[in-house]
Amino acid sequence: MKIQQIRNATVKIEYSDQTFLVDPMLSKKETLAPFPSKDGNTNKNPLVDLTESISSILEGITAVIVTHNHVDHWDSRAMEVINKNTPIFVQDRGDQISIANSGFNDVRILGITEKLGDVIIKKITGQHYENDAVKQLLDNYTDTSHTMGFFLESVNEKSILFTGDTIWFEGLKSNLEKLEPGVVVMNSGGNGVESGRLILDAQDVVEIHKTLPKTLLIASHMEAVNHWTTSKSELLSVAKENDFADSLIILNDGERLVL
């Protein structure tokens, strides 16, 4: 497999006979409104530019996976530039209707298990809030607190699990133990608001490592939108303190990894 960190949670992965684009946020730097944030940061999003052209990012894409319909995972620029006949996998009927209403002709709700070419895709439960106050804010601010992760497997590849936007909770632990992925891509920027976190932070990554100590961990969704709280340097420092820096990869935007 070949994995490219594009920016934020946007990842391109060549896996078996498919090339997936995950959670495309393709807008230019500082063209989107800031999110509510824990420390009052009001910088516009995204905080950084893409490192390459959109045409290069879209080259070879056979399907898109949108873990949830929040603007830092599916934005207006993605709607404009992605081919309207590209298969797009989503979590539920609400996201299917929303994306189909933007002109896309093949929006599929990801069931428990689907197959695309030689790749099996499994939907993974996520919890996009640390407490009820954060859940309520998401429901009010974005119309949904629902999200998903997903798991890919093929006879030709190591299995890989994308956590999506989630905190550490029993559902994630259970899926990691049951599926035993060879690689985990973690949305680990600790993004949060005053009332609590929205996604994994460094201590949550420690829990993932403790659950799967032999699994390669790849950090994503870091330092690209205004409500991040966990830096790449902090995550690496925590990994060193807990003796798993050798099994953690923190890719820079645009960087590629071949496994």
Side-chain angles (χ1 to χ4, degrees):
M1 75 181 83
K2 298 179 182 178
I3 301 170
Q4 183 183 15
Q5 170 65 34
I6 302 298
R7 181 183 60 188
N8 199 47
T10 308
V11 174
K12 184 176 183 178
I13 175 169
E14 298 177 36
Y15 190 84
S16 188
D17 62 341
Q18 302 297 316
T19 301
F20 298 96
L21 186 63
V22 180
D23 286 343
M25 179 196 198
L26 303 177
S27 293
K28 293 181 179 180
K29 179 181 176 181
E30 297 178 347
T31 58
L32 301 174
F35 296 114
S37 66
K38 182 177 180 179
D39 61 1
N41 185 314
T42 58
N43 292 329
K44 290 184 176 181
N45 293 312
L47 301 179
V48 294
D49 269 323
L50 295 168
T51 61
E52 60 186 82
S53 68
I54 287 178
S55 61
S56 176
I57 292 168
L58 298 181
E59 184 177 359
I61 295 298
T62 56
V64 174
I65 300 176
V66 178
T67 60
H68 61 303
N69 191 13
H70 287 173
V71 69
D72 59 331
H73 296 257
W74 176 252
D75 64 2
S76 58
R77 187 65 175 141
M79 297 178 209
E80 292 172 3
V81 300
I82 293 173
N83 187 294
K84 295 300 189 289
N85 293 316
T86 303
I88 300 180
F89 290 93
V90 299
Q91 63 172 331
D92 57 23
R93 179 65 173 158
D95 284 0
Q96 182 186 46
I97 291 171
S98 175
I99 292 175
N101 284 344
S102 299
F104 290 87
N105 301 313
D106 189 4
V107 187
R108 310 178 191 183
I109 299 173
L110 183 58
I112 295 174
T113 301
E114 304 284 347
K115 191 169 185 184
L116 188 67
D118 293 333
V119 181
I120 294 172
I121 314 170
K122 296 181 179 181
K123 183 178 179 180
I124 301 300
T125 304
Q127 182 176 313
H128 199 358
Y129 48 87
E130 188 174 22
N131 52 48
D132 288 342
V134 178
K135 182 179 185 301
Q136 188 63 54
L137 182 146
L138 283 174
D139 287 334
N140 292 340
Y141 186 79
T142 69
D143 294 328
T144 183
S145 56
H146 296 165
T147 187
M148 70 171 183
F150 62 92
F151 174 82
L152 304 178
E153 62 181 341
S154 170
V155 295
N156 304 315
E157 302 278 10
K158 291 182 179 180
S159 61
I160 182 168
L161 185 147
F162 284 71
T163 65
D165 273 10
T166 186
I167 62 163
W168 177 252
F169 76 117
E170 187 58 37
L172 178 57
K173 184 175 188 291
S174 175
N175 277 315
L176 291 171
E177 292 173 336
K178 177 176 66 176
L179 296 168
E180 295 185 330
V183 182
V184 177
V185 178
M186 314 167 299
N187 289 5
S188 48
N191 299 52
V193 295
E194 188 174 353
S195 51
R197 278 188 300 109
L198 302 162
I199 66 173
L200 302 166
D201 64 5
Q203 292 305 315
D204 288 342
V205 172
V206 173
E207 294 302 320
I208 292 175
H209 170 69
K210 288 180 179 178
T211 304
L212 294 175
K214 296 181 180 180
T215 293
L216 178 66
L217 307 181
I218 300 175
S220 187
H221 203 319
M222 302 196 76
E223 300 183 1
V225 285
N226 72 295
H227 58 332
W228 69 268
T229 66
T230 300
S231 68
K232 295 176 182 179
S233 60
E234 177 189 352
L235 180 57
L236 180 58
S237 177
V238 169
K240 289 178 179 177
E241 291 169 6
N242 289 272
D243 298 321
F244 67 95
D246 289 345
S247 59
L248 172 68
I249 294 177
I250 305 174
L251 296 174
N252 294 316
D253 289 351
E255 191 174 356
R256 293 170 172 83
L257 176 67
V258 179
L259 297 174

